[in-house]
Amino acid sequence: MTWHTGRLIDHVHLRAKNFIATRHFYTAVLGVLGLKIDQSGEGWFQVDELFVDAADARTIPTHVHLAFQARDRAMVDAFYKTALAAGGRDNGKPGERHYHPGYYGAFVLDPDGNNIEAVFHGPVQRSAASVELNPA
């Protein structure tokens, strides 16, 4: 099995109040970004550094801001449209933002109220598509 990771965050863990709606939402929006759920089990799933499980009587849903990388503006637009169709709520239509030149993003609230963004930072050249970790 191969894992992909970046350099700063090992993983982000979300606890979902409505796990079924949350899984549906992330399956849809991550699919638009070219990603799929690569590991899952009863009440949990994982996509690269994102781990989501069902909140229970001992835990509470999380409330965070996550920004997913998009390859271009069209992908940001598709993310936004798909997120709304999959049960997300508008929290900022696609458009340029003042954060830095070329910043193009869209914001939605997932079924648990997390602020989820897709962002394109303008044309860049990556040194690698991802970092692959293979257990020794």
Side-chain angles (χ1 to χ4, degrees), residues 11-132:
H11 69 279
V12 174
H13 184 168
L14 299 180
R15 293 197 185 276
K17 182 177 179 180
N18 183 336
F19 180 77
I20 293 170
T22 297
R23 181 172 174 138
H24 171 74
F25 175 85
Y26 283 101
T27 298
V29 301
L30 292 172
V32 168
L33 299 175
L35 301 167
K36 63 181 177 120
I37 293 174
D38 47 19
Q39 297 181 59
S40 64
E42 183 65 34
W44 69 275
F45 65 88
Q46 184 171 345
V47 180
D48 289 353
E49 294 94 348
L50 177 63
F51 180 84
V52 179
D53 68 1
D56 59 26
R58 299 168 295 145
T59 61
I60 58 172
T62 51
H63 291 282
V64 299
H65 170 79
L66 294 177
F68 296 126
Q69 299 176 39
R71 288 189 295 271
D72 53 34
R73 287 178 174 221
M75 187 176 272
V76 171
D77 295 342
F79 163 88
Y80 179 79
K81 181 179 177 182
T82 300
L84 296 180
R89 293 176 286 138
D90 171 57
N91 201 30
K93 293 180 176 17
E96 291 189 18
R97 302 297 195 263
H98 68 278
Y99 310 133
H100 66 70
Y103 196 110
Y104 186 85
F107 301 86
V108 297
L109 298 176
D110 76 3
D112 286 305
N114 292 296
N115 185 32
I116 309 301
E117 174 185 9
V119 60
F120 174 62
H121 290 284
V124 296
Q125 183 175 358
R126 291 179 175 268
S127 62
S130 69
V131 175
E132 292 186 22

